[in-house]
Amino acid sequence: MSRPPVSYYRATVHESEARPPPIGRIDAAVCVVGGGFAGLNTTLGLAERGVRDVVLLEAERIGHGASGRNGGFVFGGFSRGEAALLRDLGPERARSLYRGTTDAVELIRQRTMRYGIDCERVDAGVLWTNWFRDPEILRARQRLLADAYGVEWQWLPAHRVRELLHTSRYADALFEQQAFHFHPLKYALGLACAADAQGARVHERAPAIALERAGSGWRVRTPEAVIHAQHIVLSCGGYLANLQHNVDAGVLPIATYVMVTEPLGTRLDEVMTTRAAVYDTRFAFDYYRALPDTRLLWGGRISICNRSPAAVEALLRRDLLKVYPQLRGVRIDYAWSGLMSYARHEMPQVGRIADGLWLAQAFGGHGVAPTTFAGELIASAIAEGDSRWRELGHYGLVSALKPVGLLAAQLNYWWLEMADAWRGRNNSS
Ligand SMILES: Cc1cc2nc3c(=O)[nH]c(=O)nc-3n(C[C@H](O)[C@H](O)[C@H](O)COP(=O)(O)OP(=O)(O)OC[C@H]3O[C@@H](n4cnc5c(N)ncnc54)[C@H](O)[C@@H]3O)c2cc1C
């Protein structure tokens, strides 16, 4: 079946003309490379602090990367789990970093209101459903979050989960009430407009093709312009910029997949009555949510391979029917993949890597709030000399050991996927 080569998100935004690329010599205080959430949040954070002389360069269109293709879950935490964070950093520093992401969830909510960004925000929380029959999985995480991080997730018994989600796949669940979900591409475009309106210059179809030192600052070249800036922020995620070898070498680009069904109308109630977004306790979890037009957005899998829409649909349809067999025969209108960027330590790489050269990358599959947090850290560092970004210093720019690292990531995923399946079999009652 042929289907448009665009995501549901791209198909449902008002596609205006691309913002023009820069031409000629341009002087700026800051040049941000990459128009995903990391770059946009840094640019807006700078503008909000009065640094308006900022140029943002996006190689394609705003939100072209993971930021405009993701599941739309806005929740606290990082790709690295809370227990590991605690082991790495101890209680005080771990709590402070985690707090940065829950504050970011609130900041995103506030920005949607302050800037009137119509991004279909659904304040219905996120459910973490238990694929396994062992209630201790949820209880342990609930205790850890409460005791070490001061965060309360509500426990829901299995019968309540069945009322909300019409499947026998899950046992109990935890509910993260503060979380929400939204249309990420509409939000990204809204951030770009908010930054523009405050004087930042946002350019599309403007790939940075070279980066060099120039006196005490830096020079960035695009096909038609040369930008001189005191500060450069590299925020290109898994869509590697090819500007600095050690920066690209620091991340593994890993694909994950999403599909969207036809509008389900009243059939949606046969699947779920909650409007919370949902993911489950497996390492290789499904993630999904109802969209305002009664479609179901369904995501999952990670891989080192990008796949065609037809292949993505085939894989995800199988996963969907495992949970909701009542949707057999449903039409899939959109399927796409996107690249996440992972560091070996599963934490973002954020901070100054040379005088005036800043980095915000490696947000993994859990990046909407952390990119906002990172944008705040870098913006306040440049504008106000704030040194809080050093709190992430434990997780620096280390090599991802490609190509061996890529292969290891894929093998690790398959191994953990098998472990999930084995555990699910042993646990099913
Ligand atoms: C399918 C999918 C589902 C996900 N679901 C969720 C979710 O539900 N919740 C969540 O919290 N996280 C989720 N994530 C992760 C989250 O989307 C990312 O962590 C986050 O968006 C990363 O933002 P970023 O700005 O670092 O990178 P990106 O959004 O990838 O942006 C990088 C940008 O840099 C541009 N670029 C690259 N090179 C150059 C250059 N030389 N010059 C100029 N521009 C350049 C690219 O075109 C791209 O637009 C998901 C990711 C994917 C792929």
Side-chain angles (χ1 to χ4, degrees), residues 13-323:
V13 293
H14 172 67
E15 203 63 88
S16 50
E17 291 276 293
R19 295 154 195 269
I23 294 177
R25 177 179 168 130
I26 292 168
D27 290 287
V30 184
C31 177
V32 175
V33 184
F37 285 145
L40 290 165
N41 281 304
T42 305
T43 305
L44 182 57
L46 284 163
E48 287 175 343
R49 288 170 176 79
V51 183
R52 305 207 154 93
D53 189 11
V54 181
V55 170
L56 183 149
L57 303 174
E58 165 52 49
E60 305 284 343
R61 303 294 306 266
I62 291 298
H64 166 79
S67 302
R69 302 166 186 242
N70 62 53
F73 289 44
V74 186
F75 48 5
F78 298 94
S79 278
R80 190 160 179 79
E82 301 93 24
L85 206 60
L86 200 60
R87 273 198 310 275
D88 296 346
L89 302 176
E92 216 170 291
R93 288 164 67 207
R95 194 177 172 124
S96 164
L97 282 188
Y98 192 92
R99 179 67 193 268
T101 66
T102 48
D103 285 352
V105 171
E106 262 334 290
L107 179 60
I108 297 168
R109 201 190 317 269
Q110 290 309 318
R111 279 180 171 161
T112 62
M113 295 189 274
R114 188 183 323 150
Y115 296 113
I117 302 175
D118 179 11
C119 56
E120 299 164 15
R121 200 184 79 231
V122 180
D123 286 300
V126 169
L127 278 170
W128 188 50
T129 54
N130 197 355
W131 188 269
F132 309 108
R133 305 290 146 185
D134 175 5
E136 188 49 26
I137 297 172
L138 301 193
R139 292 301 198 186
R141 189 167 184 200
Q142 189 188 32
R143 272 196 308 273
L144 177 71
L145 282 167
D147 297 348
Y149 293 95
V151 171
E152 298 294 334
W153 284 14
Q154 188 193 346
W155 180 76
L156 302 183
H159 70 85
R160 179 67 188 133
V161 175
R162 288 274 168 98
E163 284 167 11
L164 300 173
L165 303 169
H166 301 164
T167 171
S168 56
R169 277 287 161 184
Y170 307 132
D172 42 359
L174 289 180
F175 181 51
E176 184 182 355
Q177 192 166 13
Q178 188 216 10
F180 62 91
H181 54 98
F182 67 0
H183 188 305
L185 183 57
K186 287 189 177 173
Y187 183 64
L189 296 174
L191 289 180
C193 288
D196 256 357
Q198 294 179 65
R201 284 165 282 172
V202 178
H203 297 283
E204 296 179 295
R205 306 226 195 280
I209 51 174
L211 171 68
E212 300 129 358
R213 271 239 166 255
S216 63
W218 295 86
R219 183 165 50 221
V220 179
R221 292 180 194 278
T222 69
E224 294 172 290
V226 181
I227 295 116
H228 287 254
Q230 211 54 39
H231 297 274
I232 305 292
V233 182
L234 298 178
S235 48
C236 296
Y239 294 77
L240 310 178
N242 208 11
L243 295 172
Q244 285 259 125
H245 176 72
N246 59 338
V247 169
D248 289 359
V251 292
L252 301 172
I254 305 272
T256 171
Y257 310 129
V258 182
M259 69 177 187
V260 169
T261 68
E262 63 183 311
L264 297 176
T266 52
R267 218 175 150 194
L268 181 59
D269 295 337
E270 293 171 23
V271 172
M272 61 201 294
T273 50
T274 177
R275 289 300 167 260
V278 182
Y279 66 119
D280 67 70
T281 49
R282 287 168 302 165
F283 173 78
F285 56 83
D286 303 320
Y287 51 94
Y288 57 95
R289 62 192 184 94
L291 298 176
D293 57 1
T294 75
R295 297 173 190 268
L296 191 64
L297 177 145
W298 188 276
R301 308 265 173 159
I302 65 170
S303 170
I304 55 173
C305 309
N306 250 321
R307 285 189 160 85
S308 70
V312 168
E313 174 185 333
L315 270 178
L316 293 188
R317 183 189 280 280
R318 250 189 282 150
D319 295 345
L320 168 70
L321 295 181
K322 248 191 240 166
V323 183

